[in-house]
Amino acid sequence: MMTFLTYLVSGVSLGSVYAIIALGYTMVYGIAKMLNFAHGDVIMVGAYISFCTTSYLHLPAWLSVVFAVAVCTALGVVIEGLAYKPLRQAGSLAVLITAIGVSYFLQNAAQLIWTSNTKVFTSVVGLPSVRLFGGRLTITGETIVTVLACLLIMAGLTFFTGGTKLGKAMRACSEDKAAAQLMGINVNATISMTFAIGSALAAVAGVLLCSSYNTLIPTAGAMPGIKAFTAAVFGGIGSIPGALLGGLLLGIIEIFASAYLSSELSLAIVFGVLIVVLLVKPSGLLGRYVPEKV
Amino acid sequence: MNRLRTMKPAARQNLISYTLVTAAYLVIRLLQGQGMLSRSIQGQLVPICCYIVMALSLNLVVGISGELSLGHAGFMSVGAFSGVAAAVSLESGGVGSPAVRLVAAMAVGAVLAAAAGFIVGVPALRLQGDYLAIVTLAFGQIIVNILQCVYLGVDAGGLHFNFLDAELHMEGGVSIISGPKGTVSVTKIASFTAGFLLILVALAVVQNLVNSRAGRAIMATRDNRIATASVGINSTKYRLMAFVVAAALAGAAGALYGLNYSSVAPSKFDYNTSILVLVFVVLGGLGNMWGSIVAAAFLTALPETPAMRGLADYRMLVYAVVLILVMLGTNNPSVQSFLNGKLRRKKRRKEGAVK
């Protein structure tokens, strides 16, 4: 029973990270209708920035997170402006290949800057572990912070998209760009804003992910990025609560699969979930079904 | 010469393609005979052939069928591992001729990869665009992940297979596939000539498919799926056809690749290899078979030349930048109008003269 709870806790922790990354995917996909392959690599950049500021500049942990968020936000806006904006009218194949190119660029640039050696990432969380049931169940400080951060971000974004003017503009753009423009919304600025928010979230996710796992390599973001996309699709792409639900479920499935079924096959199982979801319910658990118009 | 002129354009193009590939093969053979090729380039000859076939087959999916497949290396791995298994079991079964074993390995690799392509394609091709890309990526990872758990060996009693467990219960015999380590102690029987012949076969298959009724249906589906369906073409069938043919060719290339090394790990065929082949296809030009051949050969051989050795670290970075620039250059309306500016002005002047 205790082992089950331990696995559940680590599943929720991992799932919360996936949920934060999935939020970035979901928002960008919802508004720009493009799969931002480079999102996972922005996570990695965020983690490296945090690593550098704490290890080389000896800044306090909270400041390093602020730095990471600032750099990633700028990076997200620059990527959007240079690579994706010129292709707004182009077909999805061209945009997708460009996104892969950006992802590849970030990975290889990181490899040149920070080398491919594994860096030991010191956790930015100072919170002590909590022991429950007489020490049989340990919840680490990282887990608590990750889950809290995830819930906080979720609540903040729900308020932002529902209550603020900019959030409403975002939803309008995701519904119909041309109509939004006619209503006086600056579509390009709104899309840039979405990328900025998504990349800021990616930075937070990167720092939290590396705090839990303590290792950092240039390809660290690629796999979590793809899994988080799976989570976003699972929950229903474009839906914020869907990203939370999909992320948590995927994290729990991944941990349980590697604990109870086979650790070697956990990747295959996670992707198997994606394929089953796409075939059975492509709109996801909480997504809306949008019929195709001819 | 007269016959050449009266041929259909497509047939003439095919003939030119075969002639040029053969000429390139003969030139390289000649250089090799004169000892003018460096060791590192010689070592790359077979992989170059494999990558050319991979690029040709992926171009069939991405360029002709218009679907982004990010798991093409997965089919290559199926071909590599089944091909090696076939070659080694034939060898232990007493088949001495390397040529027979190589051809059998490529055939087995192609058939099994085609089967994998069918299994992946039937569900995946119900999707489109981004979703199809991510599902093929997922399938590519799943295939590699599963292959990492496969243990296969052969002894006097036949093939022994085990999943997730290294114990094969063999009496003597040799291990063929050993989980994450991949193929082990394979007799290297791949040759440049076989690679050249495989390129010819791949070129023939792809070009004949493109110029056939089925090929036109595939391209029509790419250009407008709804319009194609409304004239009674079963678009799923033709998309699946392109996908399975591409998988089969990738499988044959994989078998050749696997038999070129004494040991290949499944992780060699991960996402990065799929992307590398995609880079070849995009740089060569989507739908342009010649471009694929040149890009694959050039980009595989270039890093091996002494002048480029120092820049090896920057290779992938440069590929990424070029990938982005090619996409921006070919798809952005303002860049295109800038590039076509002079051309268009000339055209307009001509049109004006006619009026």
Side-chain angles (χ1 to χ4, degrees), chain B residues 52-53 56-57 197-208 249:
Chain B
I52 287 176
V53 176
L56 281 174
S57 58
L197 292 174
L198 184 63
I199 293 176
L200 278 190
V201 170
L203 205 56
V205 169
V206 170
Q207 289 194 328
N208 281 310
L249 289 175

Side-chain angles (χ1 to χ4, degrees), chain A residues 28-227:
Chain A
V28 167
Y29 197 92
I31 196 159
K33 298 282 176 285
M34 66 160 287
L35 176 51
N36 183 12
F37 254 98
H39 194 69
D41 301 292
V42 176
I43 300 169
M44 172 271 300
V45 173
Y48 267 111
I49 298 294
S50 168
F51 170 80
C52 286
T53 44
T54 47
S55 304
Y56 303 142
L57 302 175
H58 304 290
L59 292 177
W62 65 270
L63 202 58
S64 82
V65 179
V66 173
F67 256 106
V69 168
V71 170
C72 286
T73 308
L75 184 67
V77 173
V78 169
I79 290 174
E80 198 273 331
L82 286 183
Y84 301 152
K85 200 189 249 171
L87 295 175
R88 198 78 25 96
Q89 311 300 331
S92 74
L93 188 66
V95 181
L96 208 51
I97 293 174
T98 310
I100 290 170
V102 172
S103 155
Y104 228 51
F105 175 81
L106 289 179
Q107 275 180 28
N108 287 290
Q111 196 162 339
L112 283 178
I113 299 171
W114 292 293
T115 73
S116 54
N117 297 336
T118 308
K119 299 262 191 290
V120 180
F121 191 94
T122 347
S123 171
V124 295
V125 179
L127 224 61
S129 300
V130 177
R131 288 174 191 282
L132 296 174
F133 304 109
R136 281 184 296 168
L137 179 67
T138 313
I139 302 177
T140 60
E142 283 83 11
T143 303
I144 297 170
V145 171
T146 307
V147 174
L148 280 181
C150 173
L151 292 176
L152 209 66
I153 288 170
M154 206 63 59
L157 272 184
T158 312
F159 169 74
F160 176 74
T161 52
T164 64
K165 211 170 174 181
L166 239 169
K168 282 181 189 162
M170 249 174 215
R171 283 191 301 157
C173 285
S174 79
E175 286 278 331
D176 188 334
K177 279 197 201 64
Q181 193 145 31
L182 288 175
M183 297 301 122
I185 294 170
N186 186 339
V187 174
N188 276 331
T190 313
I191 293 179
S192 289
M193 186 71 197
T194 314
F195 269 87
I197 295 175
S199 305
L201 294 183
V204 174
V207 172
L208 290 173
L209 186 71
C210 291
S211 291
S212 299
Y213 289 91
N214 300 107
T215 52
L216 185 54
I217 47 170
T219 52
M223 214 16 91
I226 294 167
K227 285 182 187 165

Side-chain angles (χ1 to χ4, degrees), chain B residues 24-308:
Chain B
Y25 168 75
L26 291 175
V27 167
I28 290 171
R29 269 276 180 245
L30 201 70
L31 287 175
Q32 207 176 11
Q34 302 287 319
M36 282 168 74
L37 287 184
S38 70
R39 263 187 98 78
S40 54
I41 289 279
Q42 290 212 25
Q44 288 294 314
L45 284 179
V46 175
I48 286 174
C49 294
C50 297
Y51 282 124
I52 287 176
V53 176
M54 286 295 288
L56 281 174
S57 58
L58 187 65
N59 205 345
L60 185 61
V61 177
V62 181
I64 304 298
S65 188
E67 276 137 6
L68 189 55
S69 165
L70 298 177
H72 208 53
F75 301 124
M76 192 183 181
S77 70
V78 171
F81 284 64
S82 56
V84 166
V88 173
S89 28
L90 281 178
E91 190 181 9
S92 68
V95 178
S97 156
V100 172
R101 274 185 279 147
L102 190 58
V103 169
M106 286 200 274
V108 169
V111 168
L112 283 184
F118 186 76
I119 294 169
V120 172
V122 167
L125 289 172
R126 288 173 56 184
L127 305 161
Q128 282 161 5
D130 300 345
Y131 286 98
L132 180 74
I134 207 95
V135 164
T136 49
L137 192 163
F139 268 119
Q141 297 281 3
I142 290 176
I143 290 173
V144 171
N145 198 190
I146 289 176
L147 283 175
Q148 278 174 336
C149 305
V150 168
Y151 294 86
L152 189 70
V154 64
D155 66 2
L159 284 173
H160 289 258
F161 171 81
N162 210 339
F163 196 66
L164 281 172
D165 186 5
E167 184 51 56
L168 285 171
H169 308 289
M170 286 194 301
E171 290 147 14
V174 282
S175 181
I176 303 173
I177 299 169
S178 178
K181 272 188 282 177
T183 58
V184 280
S185 53
V186 178
T187 322
K188 294 188 260 183
I189 51 173
S191 66
F192 180 44
T193 309
F196 156 71
L197 292 174
L198 184 63
I199 293 176
L200 278 190
V201 170
L203 205 56
V205 169
V206 170
Q207 289 194 328
N208 281 310
L209 180 62
V210 170
N211 293 322
S212 70
R213 190 186 171 87
R216 287 188 291 275
I218 291 168
M219 284 185 276
T221 307
R222 170 194 68 189
D223 293 337
N224 193 333
R225 197 173 50 87
I226 294 165
T228 315
S230 68
V231 292
I233 289 172
N234 182 351
S235 64
T236 312
K237 179 181 142 194
Y238 288 107
R239 289 162 79 207
L240 187 63
M241 185 190 277
F243 199 75
V244 171
V245 168
L249 289 175
L256 186 69
Y257 192 88
L259 289 168
N260 189 43
Y261 297 97
S262 57
S263 174
V264 178
S267 56
K268 179 79 190 87
F269 303 103
D270 65 354
Y271 174 64
N272 286 322
T273 308
S274 297
I275 297 297
L276 189 67
V277 178
L278 181 70
V279 170
F280 298 155
V281 171
V282 173
L283 294 195
L286 291 177
N288 185 334
M289 295 306 153
W290 263 107
S292 288
I293 295 178
V294 173
F298 193 63
L299 292 181
T300 317
L302 195 63
E304 300 298 326
T305 54
M308 295 297 292

